[in-house]
C-alpha cells in the first residue's frame, strides 16, 4: 500500500528519494511523486511506475538536500497526476505525503470550500494539507503546531511527512495506524523517513518506530524532538536493525517470488531453530514465560488474520485442536470486530501477519485487547505495530518478503504454529514427550523435504504451460490440506489473474460440481491421509464429467496417479506436517503460469503488499 520516503540532510535528496521509492515499489502502487525544497517547492508526479517519475525529474535539482516522496495505491480517486502525492496547500507553502485515509475528509472539505479553498483532485490528503493551511492562516501557528491542531480534528489513519517552505530547515512527520520509521545518524545532520526499514538501512541501522499520535520535528543539527498531538513531550527508543541488504535483492533470480520460494528451506530452518533449544531441541518461545500459564489454560484461541496468513491460521486450527485440544476459531480480521464478537479475558486472540501492519488485523487485536483478552502475534517484521502492541510475539524468521504473493512467510507461519501446537499439547498432557520429540525431529527434516520438491520444478513448469489459456480453476483439499487448496487458489488468482476457487473436497457436490467440464481443471491436494479414498472418489467424479485433474500426491501414490492428467509428487511426511510441504508445488505452479502469461509476478495489478487501510 502507499509508501512514504523522506530525507532532510546534507546529501542530494532526489536520488535518495527515487532510490527509496524503488525499494518501496513492492508495497503496491499505481502512481508516484516527489517534492523537493529548493528556493521554492518543486513537485514531480506521474501515473504508473517510479521509472516514469524518475525520467520526468529535472536534473537541475542537484543541490537540493530535502524532500518527500510517495508511491500511491489509489483509494479516493483514480491514479491520475492530480490525485498523486505530494499534495500542496492552496497557498503553495505546505506540501505533504500521506499513507492512510482521513475518514472525515468530506466534513473538513465542506468547511474548506466554504472558506474559499479549491481542490484539483479527489483525495482525502489534499483536504488535509489545506486544513493545515487553514489552521495556520487562522491561528498564526508554526507548521509543527498547525499539524498537531489539524490532527486533533482529523479522524482515520495516517503516516505523514510534511514540509512548509516558510520553515525550510524542518520536516514534520507523524503517524496513527499507518507504519512509519525514522532513520537517525550520529551527527543529527541528516534524517531518513520511510514506511518501512528497507529504503533506510543502506544509510543507517538506527531506527525509531513512531507510536500512534506522535509528532516529530526533524531539523538539521538538532536532536529529533517528539511530542504527542497535544504537545506533551515523548521519549523514544532507538532500535538497531539487523537487515542484510543482499537478502533484499533478487540475486540471480528472475523474480523476488521465485527467490522467496527457493529460500524456504533456509527460512523454515531459521524459524524452527530460533524457537528450539540448541542443546536438546526443546521448544522455547523467548519471553513467553509470563504468559505461558494463560496460554496453556486458555479456554479458547481466536486466530485473526487476512489472506494467506488466514490460511496459515486454518492450518493452525487443525494443529492446535488436534495436538493441544484447545478450541480454536479462525476469523477474518475484517469481519471479526464488526459483528460484536464475544471475547472474554480467558481468551487468547492470536494475530498471524507477515507485515504486522495489516489494518484489519491490527484493529481486531486492539479491539480484543480492549475487551480484556490476552493478545499474541505471529509476525515476520520486527518492531511492527502488532509486535509492539501485543502481549507476546513469536516471530517468523523468513527475512524481508518483497514479492507481493506471500510464500516463505506462509511456510514460516506454519512452522511456528506447528511448534506452538506441539508445545501446548505437551504442557496440557495431550501428547507424550515421545510424540512431541518425533514431531519436532520430523519438522527438522522439512527443509530438506522442500529441497527435494525443487528437483521437480522443471516438471511443474511443463505442466503449467498447459494451463496458460485456462480461465478458471477449482482447488480441492480435505482436512489439514483444505487450507492448502485455498492457498493454491489464492496464489494462482493473485499473480496470473485466472479465476480460482478453493473448496473443501466434500463440498464439491453441494455446488461447484456444476461447473465441471472439459475447460475447467481441478487441482486436488491428495496426499495420502485418512481422506485419501474419499479424494480418489472426488477425482473420479470430476473425471466422469471430463474435467482435467492436476493432483498433489505423495511419492508412493498408486491410485490418484492413474486418474489425474498431471501429478506433482511430494515426499510423504506425517499428516499434520503435510501442508507445509504440499503448498510448495502449488506456489511454483502459480508462479510458472503467471510468467507464461507475461504477468508482473512481483507486483500484480491492484495488489498491495501490506494492506494498511481498511
Ligand atoms: C497473498 C498475500 C495477502 C496477505 C494478507 C495479509 O499472497 O500476501 O493475502 O497474506 O494481505 O497480510 P499480512 O500477513 O501482512 O497481515
Amino acid at each position: 500500500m502507499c509508501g512514504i520516503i523522506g530525507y532532510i540532510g546534507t546529501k542530494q535528496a532526489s536520488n535518495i528519494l527515487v532510490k527509496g521509492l524503488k525499494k518501496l515499489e513492492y508495497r503496491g502502487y499505481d502512481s508516484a511523486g516527489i517534492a523537493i525544497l529548493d528556493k521554492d517547492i518543486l513537485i514531480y508526479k506521474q501515473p504508473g511506475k517510479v521509472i516514469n517519475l524518475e525520467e520526468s525529474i529535472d536534473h537541475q535539482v542537484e543541490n537540493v538536500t530535502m524532500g518527500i516522496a510517495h508511491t500511491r495505491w489509489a483509494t479516493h480517486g483514480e491514479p491520475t497526476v492530480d490525485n498523486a502525492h505530494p499534495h500542496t496547500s492552496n497557498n503553495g507553502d505546505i506540501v505533504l505525503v500521506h499513507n492512510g485515509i482521513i475518514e472525515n475528509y468530506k466534513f473538513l472539505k465542506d468547511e474548506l470550500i466554504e472558506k474559499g479553498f479549491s481542490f484539483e483532485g479527489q483525495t482525502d490528503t489534499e483536504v488535509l494539507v489545506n486544513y493545515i493551511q487553514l489552521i495556520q492562516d487562522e491561528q498564526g501557528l508554526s507548521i509543527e503546531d498547525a499539524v498537531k491542531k489539524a490532527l486533533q480534528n482529523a479522524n482515520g489513519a495516517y503516516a505523514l511527512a510534511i514540509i512548509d517552505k516558510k520553515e525550510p530547515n524542518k520536516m514534520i512527520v507523524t503517524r496513527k495506524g499507518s507504519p512509519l520509521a525514522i532513520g537517525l545518524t550520529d551527527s543529527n545532520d541528516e534524517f531518513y523517513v520511510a514506511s518501512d526499514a528497507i529504503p533506510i538501512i543502506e544509510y543507517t541501522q538506527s531506527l525509531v518506530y513512531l507510536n500512534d499520535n506522535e509528532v516529530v520535528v526533524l531539523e538539521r543539527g538538532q536532536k529529533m524532538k517528539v511530542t504527542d498531538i497535544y504537545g506533551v513531550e515523548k521519549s523514544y527508543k532507538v532500535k538497531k536493525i539487523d537487515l542484510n541488504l543482499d537478502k533484499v535483492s533478487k540475486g540471480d533470480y528472475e523474480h523476488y517470488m521465485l527467490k522467496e520460494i527457493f529460500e524456504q528451506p533456509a527460512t523454515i530452518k531459521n524459524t524452527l531453530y530460533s524457537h528450539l533449544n540448541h542443546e536438546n531441541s526443546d521448544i522455547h518461545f523467548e519471553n513467553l514465560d509470563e504468559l505461558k500459564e494463560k496460554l496453556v489454560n486458555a479456554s479458547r484461541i481466536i486466530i485473526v488474520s487476512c489472506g494467506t496468513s488466514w490460511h496459515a491460521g486454518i492450518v493452525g486450527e487443525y494443529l492446535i485442536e488436534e495436538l493441544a485440544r484447545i478450541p480454536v476459531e479462525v476469523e477474518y480480521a475484517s469481519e471479526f470486530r464488526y459483528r460484536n464478537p464475544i471475547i472474554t479475558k480467558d481468551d487468547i486472540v492470536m494475530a498471524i501477519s507477515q507485515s504486522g501492519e495489516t489494518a484489519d488485523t491490527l484493529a481486531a487485536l486492539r479491539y480484543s485487547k480492549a475487551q480484556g483478552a490476552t493478545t499474541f502475534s505471529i509476525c515476520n517484521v520486527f518492531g511492527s505495530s502488532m509486535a509492539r502492541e501485543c502481549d507476546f510475539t513469536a516471530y517468523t524468521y523468513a527475512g524481508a518478503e518483497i514479492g507481493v504473493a506471500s510464500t516463505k512467510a506462509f511456510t514460516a507461519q506454519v512452522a511456528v504454529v506447528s511448534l506452538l501446537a506441539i508445545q501446548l499439547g505437551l504442557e496440557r498432557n495431550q501428547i507424550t514427550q515421545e510424540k512431541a520429540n518425533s514431531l519436532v525431529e520430523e519438522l527438522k527434516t522439512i527443509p530438506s523435504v522442500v529441497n527435494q520438491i525443487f528437483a521437480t520444478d522443471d516438471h511443474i513448469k511443463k505442466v503449467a504451460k498447459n494451463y496458460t489459456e485456462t480461465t478458471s480453476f477449482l482447488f480441492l483439499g480435505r482436512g489439514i490440506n483444505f487450507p492448502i487448496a485455498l492457498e493454491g487458489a489464492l496464489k494462482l488468482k493473485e499473480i496470473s489473474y485466472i479465476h480460482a476457487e478453493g473448496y473443501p473436497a466434500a463440498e464439491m457436490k453441494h455446488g461447484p460440481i456444476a461447473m465441471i467440464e472439459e475447460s475447467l481443471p481441478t487441482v486436488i491436494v491428495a496426499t495420502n491421509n485418512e481422506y485419501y479414498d474419499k479424494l480418489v472418489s472426488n477425482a473420479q467424479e470430476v473425471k466422469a464429467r471430463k474435467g482435467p485433474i492436476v493432483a498433489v500426491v505423495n511419492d508412493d501414490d498408486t491410485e490418484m496417479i492413474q486418474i489425474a492428467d498431471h501429478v506433482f509428487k511430494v515426499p510423504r511426511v506425517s499428516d499434520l506436517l503435510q501442508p507445509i510441504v504440499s503448498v510448495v508445488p502449488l506456489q511454483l505452479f502459480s508462479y510458472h503460469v503467471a510468467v507464461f502469461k507475461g504477468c508482473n509476478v512481483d507486483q500484480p495489478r491492484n495488489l498491495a503488499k501490506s494492506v494498511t487501510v481498511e
Side-chain angles (χ1 to χ4, degrees):
M1 209 138 265
C2 302
I4 286 179
I5 172 102
Y7 174 74
I8 172 166
T10 51
K11 300 191 194 106
Q12 212 260 68
S14 62
N15 285 347
I16 293 171
L17 296 174
V18 170
K19 203 167 168 194
L21 286 182
K22 287 184 179 164
K23 296 217 162 109
L24 293 172
E25 281 189 299
Y26 81 99
R27 296 170 67 89
Y29 72 105
D30 27 47
S31 59
I34 179 170
I36 42 178
L37 184 60
D38 197 1
K39 288 182 194 66
D40 210 339
I41 295 170
L42 304 175
I43 296 189
Y44 302 88
K45 305 190 208 186
Q46 288 292 326
K49 294 291 173 194
V50 172
I51 187 84
N52 303 345
L53 174 73
E54 187 176 20
E55 283 164 4
S56 76
I57 295 176
D58 184 331
H59 287 285
Q60 288 158 15
V61 294
E62 297 213 325
N63 297 322
V64 180
T65 55
M66 171 179 185
I68 53 181
H70 189 263
T71 46
R72 172 173 185 257
W73 187 85
T75 55
H76 295 67
E78 288 177 30
T80 58
V81 169
D82 283 344
N83 286 329
H85 300 211
H87 283 293
T88 319
S89 56
N90 274 196
N91 65 3
D93 284 357
I94 308 168
V95 63
L96 66 74
V97 289
H98 171 210
N99 173 18
I101 292 179
I102 303 301
E103 284 164 2
N104 60 338
Y105 80 101
K106 281 204 187 89
F107 174 80
L108 300 175
K109 192 171 186 177
D110 288 346
E111 181 183 343
L112 287 164
I113 289 172
E114 218 169 85
K115 292 187 171 164
F117 281 79
S118 60
F119 295 89
E120 286 168 0
Q122 289 84 45
T123 68
D124 49 324
T125 307
E126 199 185 352
V127 173
L128 185 63
V129 72
N130 282 301
Y131 190 61
I132 296 169
Q133 184 205 314
L134 174 72
I135 286 177
Q136 262 199 340
D137 291 349
E138 289 187 346
Q139 303 181 32
L141 297 177
S142 66
I143 184 64
E144 174 188 349
D145 290 337
V147 168
K148 288 178 195 162
K149 262 264 148 56
L151 294 180
Q152 289 170 24
N153 294 330
N155 303 334
Y158 49 80
L160 298 165
I162 306 160
I163 296 173
D164 181 348
K165 77 173 182 197
K166 300 188 289 306
E167 299 181 63
N169 203 26
K170 271 186 191 168
M171 182 181 296
I172 311 295
V173 296
T174 177
R175 66 152 269 176
K176 182 181 158 204
S178 300
L180 202 69
I182 298 173
L184 304 182
T185 55
D186 294 337
S187 63
N188 285 331
D189 276 345
E190 45 177 7
F191 299 93
Y192 298 83
V193 175
S195 296
D196 61 45
I198 293 172
I200 301 182
I201 40 156
E202 70 173 284
Y203 308 107
T204 171
Q205 297 194 319
S206 303
L207 292 198
V208 175
Y209 288 98
L210 290 187
N211 293 312
D212 278 356
N213 292 319
E214 287 180 344
V215 181
V216 172
V217 180
L218 303 174
E219 199 167 351
R220 290 187 192 90
Q222 304 283 325
K223 216 166 160 249
M224 160 170 137
K225 191 176 108 193
V226 187
T227 66
D228 69 13
I229 58 170
Y230 301 101
V232 178
E233 259 183 61
K234 294 275 168 183
S235 59
Y236 58 86
K237 280 203 189 104
V238 182
K239 274 193 183 262
K240 286 276 172 208
I241 298 296
D242 180 22
L243 191 59
N244 183 338
L245 263 185
D246 291 345
K247 296 209 170 133
V248 194
S249 77
K250 270 195 297 218
D252 293 334
Y253 289 90
E254 210 182 320
H255 297 100
Y256 280 105
M257 181 181 175
L258 190 62
K259 175 178 177 246
E260 288 163 3
I261 292 173
F262 275 86
E263 273 174 356
Q264 288 177 111
T267 52
I268 295 169
K269 187 168 174 189
N270 272 347
T271 301
L272 290 174
Y273 282 81
S274 301
H275 300 297
L276 288 175
N277 184 319
H278 291 287
E279 273 140 39
N280 55 12
S281 286
D282 278 357
I283 300 167
H284 171 73
F285 288 102
E286 215 182 318
N287 301 326
L288 178 64
D289 298 350
E290 264 175 51
L291 282 177
K292 201 164 177 182
E293 212 183 299
K294 261 194 162 161
L295 194 53
V296 170
N297 297 318
S299 56
R300 180 169 70 142
I301 295 176
I302 303 170
I303 297 178
V304 289
S305 42
C306 301
T308 287
S309 298
W310 186 76
H311 301 154
I314 307 179
V315 177
E317 178 183 28
Y318 281 92
L319 284 163
I320 296 170
E321 291 201 338
E322 176 67 26
L323 296 174
R325 307 305 294 157
I326 302 175
V328 178
E329 287 168 24
V330 188
E331 301 267 1
Y332 281 118
S334 52
E335 289 293 319
F336 178 61
R337 80 197 155 108
Y338 288 112
R339 63 167 170 75
N340 196 12
I342 300 162
I343 304 168
T344 72
K345 60 176 181 21
D346 298 324
D347 287 328
I348 305 286
V349 175
M350 184 192 292
I352 303 185
S353 174
Q354 187 284 128
S355 61
E357 301 291 350
T358 300
D360 283 316
T361 310
L362 195 54
L365 270 181
R366 287 177 179 160
Y367 180 88
S368 309
K369 202 169 183 172
Q371 309 291 310
T374 300
T375 53
F376 183 131
S377 70
I378 294 178
C379 142
N380 195 40
V381 177
F382 289 82
S384 60
S385 300
M386 282 178 217
R388 284 181 292 132
E389 292 186 27
C390 271
D391 296 314
F392 173 73
T393 296
Y395 282 107
T396 47
Y397 291 84
E401 191 177 61
I402 306 292
V404 164
S406 186
T407 52
K408 63 176 181 170
F410 174 78
T411 46
Q413 289 165 346
V414 175
V416 170
V417 284
S418 305
L419 290 176
L420 185 70
I422 298 168
Q423 173 78 343
L424 287 175
L426 201 54
E427 302 269 351
R428 287 167 61 86
N429 293 321
Q430 296 294 332
I431 56 171
T432 60
Q433 185 69 54
E434 289 68 49
K435 169 91 175 169
N437 291 350
S438 94
L439 282 169
V440 169
E441 286 312 309
E442 200 177 1
L443 267 172
K444 284 159 73 178
T445 69
I446 298 293
S448 76
V449 168
V450 171
N451 256 326
Q452 290 172 46
I453 300 171
F454 294 154
T456 66
D457 185 39
D458 282 347
H459 164 71
I460 297 172
K461 189 171 173 180
K462 272 194 204 124
V463 174
K465 197 151 196 194
N466 294 297
Y467 294 99
T468 51
E469 302 299 320
T470 306
T471 53
S472 195
F473 268 89
L474 183 63
F475 281 70
L476 301 178
R478 205 166 170 153
I480 200 163
N481 276 325
F482 157 56
I484 300 308
L486 296 180
E487 178 59 8
L490 179 62
K491 285 289 89 81
L492 187 68
K493 69 183 137 195
E494 67 185 331
I495 59 169
S496 69
Y497 319 138
I498 294 175
H499 168 253
E501 274 187 67
Y503 254 88
E507 278 291 303
M508 180 179 72
K509 288 209 259 312
H510 300 281
I513 198 164
M515 302 194 304
I516 304 285
E517 56 180 1
E518 246 167 300
S519 63
L520 184 114
T522 300
V523 177
I524 307 185
V525 187
T527 49
N528 210 333
N529 58 22
E530 58 180 302
Y531 313 113
Y532 180 76
D533 292 342
K534 294 185 194 305
L535 285 160
V536 169
S537 302
N538 292 139
Q540 302 280 18
E541 287 153 13
V542 171
K543 267 284 124 193
R545 288 158 183 84
K546 297 195 168 26
I549 293 179
V550 178
V552 178
V553 296
N554 283 131
D555 279 341
D556 53 0
D557 187 275
T558 50
E559 285 186 62
M560 197 60 102
I561 211 164
Q562 310 284 342
I563 308 167
D565 298 80
H566 304 284
V567 291
F568 300 146
K569 288 188 182 172
V570 296
R572 182 199 284 261
V573 295
S574 296
D575 284 355
L576 286 176
L577 305 185
Q578 197 70 63
I580 200 170
V581 173
S582 307
V583 74
V584 176
L586 299 183
Q587 294 170 340
L588 286 166
F589 178 65
S590 53
Y591 170 80
H592 290 304
V593 172
V595 171
F596 282 130
K597 289 192 70 182
C599 299
N600 186 342
V601 171
D602 284 331
Q603 292 165 27
R605 69 183 180 208
N606 305 339
L607 286 177
K609 179 69 186 159
S610 171
V611 181
T612 50
V613 295
E614 273 195 50

